[in-house]
Amino acid sequence: MRVAVTGANGLLGGAAVAQLSEKHEVLAIGRGPCRLSPGAFTWAEADLGDGRSVEAALREYRAEAVLHAGAMTDVDGCEREPEGAWRVNVGGTEQVARACRALGARLVAVSTDYVFDGEAGPYGEDDLPNPRGAYARSKRCGEEVALLLAPDCAVARVAVVYSGRAGAKSTFATQVVEKLSRGEPVKAFSDQVVSPTLAESGAAMTLELLLATDYRGVLHTAGATALDRVDFARRVAARFGLRGEIAPVRTADVKLLAPRPLQAGLRVDRAAALLRAKPLAIDAALDRFHGQWMSRGAA
Ligand SMILES: NC(=O)c1ccc[n+]([C@@H]2O[C@H](COP(=O)([O-])OP(=O)(O)OC[C@H]3O[C@@H](n4cnc5c(N)ncnc54)[C@H](OP(=O)(O)O)[C@@H]3O)[C@@H](O)[C@H]2O)c1
């Protein structure tokens, strides 16, 4: 099967390309040159924000299934540049959905817990979104444009994505390891409840959703444990045997451009019932994260 992945240089997209290329023909679409380890895939450079190029790449490849993981993910960057957030997260998703419609391809568009306001999480798929801030609004509109235009479409929501694989971008989890290893303190929000998602686990769930189910609509494919960021940092530290200061801070005491959902988190019971690739509880996810980190150190 010809499967395309957008955001292929990203945390989740990169993990998906690695998993797919063992079994399928893969078109990996990213902005700029490929930063993935070499593998059995074709690379296409295309900008989700430029109007047509991603749509053209998908049509030319005659994609049969598309995992749309590309997005402007810098939450405060989106707040500074809402037109860019619209162009990439809504316009880019529109391009992908139009191509899927024309090709009869199945689409899974990846989205976020930020579509919720964070007043009463963890949230299930049937809870009503109430996005706050430019990133959140653009992702919610992206969900709708995907579901509207692509006839065979699911939206997969994840949260606080992280990975320990070599070359993966820096995240809160990797910063906890790096700072504590250097003896530096870590600041963590005590009032933000999240459902951290190991990229490789999120990729496995979203790919199964794409290729092995006909589920349509929204599905939460995040990690199985909702916890606050201080607790998350402490568990990362414990798994790595690291001591040091983890200083709790409150969101309101830090100057952030975009609002953050506080009592967020995603309920994943539906994914657990539907998929063979199960949402990982935090300790199992951190075991894998630790293993990735150790093999990257050895590489
Ligand atoms: N990261 C999180 O904590 C998080 C949380 C909830 C939901 N999500 C959602 O999960 C999905 C996957 O994100 P991720 O976690 O893998 O984040 P990521 O590592 O930031 O990946 C996003 C990818 O999109 C690419 N991209 C950005 N602008 C682009 C453009 N104009 N044209 C083409 N590609 C562009 C980025 O390219 P570059 O690598 O060149 O920057 C990056 O590779 C997204 O839909 C995101 O909204 C992420």
Side-chain angles (χ1 to χ4, degrees):
M1 196 176 211
R2 286 186 305 281
V3 186
V5 178
T6 70
N9 272 326
L11 286 163
L12 198 140
V17 170
Q19 290 172 24
L20 274 170
S21 56
E22 293 161 14
K23 290 195 197 131
H24 296 274
E25 275 183 58
V26 185
L27 179 68
I29 304 177
R31 175 170 60 174
C34 178
R35 303 195 301 273
L36 298 176
S37 310
F41 56 83
T42 304
W43 184 262
E45 206 175 304
D47 189 334
L48 283 162
D50 87 348
R52 286 300 302 273
S53 70
V54 173
E55 185 176 350
L58 291 171
R59 282 172 173 260
E60 189 181 326
Y61 185 67
R62 288 179 293 113
E64 293 168 284
V66 179
L67 180 66
H68 175 42
M72 187 167 169
T73 55
D74 173 355
V75 174
D76 291 321
C78 288
E79 204 66 23
R80 259 190 306 277
E81 212 197 316
E83 290 193 19
W86 178 269
R87 247 192 340 269
V88 175
N89 293 348
V90 188
T93 306
E94 179 182 347
Q95 289 190 56
V96 172
R98 280 189 189 284
C100 289
R101 183 177 187 82
L103 293 163
R106 177 157 166 81
L107 170 63
V108 169
V110 184
S111 190
T112 172
D113 57 334
Y114 270 51
V115 299
F116 296 110
D117 55 25
E119 292 191 352
Y123 294 98
E125 288 85 352
D126 296 332
D127 287 320
L128 274 185
N130 182 27
R132 293 177 175 168
Y135 170 73
R137 288 183 198 281
S138 69
K139 291 296 294 182
R140 176 66 185 139
C141 291
E143 291 184 348
E144 288 294 350
V145 85
L147 291 165
L148 175 71
L149 291 178
D152 185 7
C153 176
V155 163
R157 293 189 186 130
V158 297
V160 186
V161 180
Y162 65 107
S163 173
R165 74 174 186 269
K169 84 172 187 191
S170 171
T171 59
F172 177 69
T174 58
Q175 286 164 21
V176 169
V177 176
E178 285 169 347
K179 286 190 175 177
L180 293 180
S181 302
R182 292 196 296 264
E184 294 170 18
V186 169
K187 287 186 183 162
F189 291 113
S190 56
D191 56 352
Q192 286 183 22
V193 174
V194 295
S195 296
T197 308
L198 187 74
E200 286 66 24
S201 167
M205 287 189 277
T206 49
L207 286 176
E208 186 182 339
L209 177 64
L210 178 69
L211 300 173
T213 79
D214 55 6
Y215 183 95
R216 293 177 182 175
V218 175
L219 189 72
H220 292 173
T221 51
T225 309
L227 73 183
D228 70 56
R229 282 177 177 269
V230 172
D231 193 5
F232 182 38
R234 287 190 180 135
R235 287 180 191 235
V236 171
R239 184 61 191 83
F240 282 72
L242 292 166
R243 288 167 187 280
E245 189 190 352
I246 295 168
V249 289
R250 296 186 63 77
T251 307
D253 296 334
V254 178
K255 219 170 160 219
L256 297 166
L257 269 184
R260 302 310 201 253
L262 296 183
Q263 196 64 40
L266 296 172
R267 297 176 59 87
V268 292
D269 326 53
R270 202 176 285 181
L274 179 73
L275 303 173
R276 279 184 302 137
K278 302 295 178 200
L280 290 182
I282 191 70
D283 290 338
L286 289 179
D287 282 348
R288 282 185 60 183
F289 176 59
H290 181 258
Q292 294 173 328
W293 191 268
M294 289 302 154
S295 40
R296 126 170 156 170

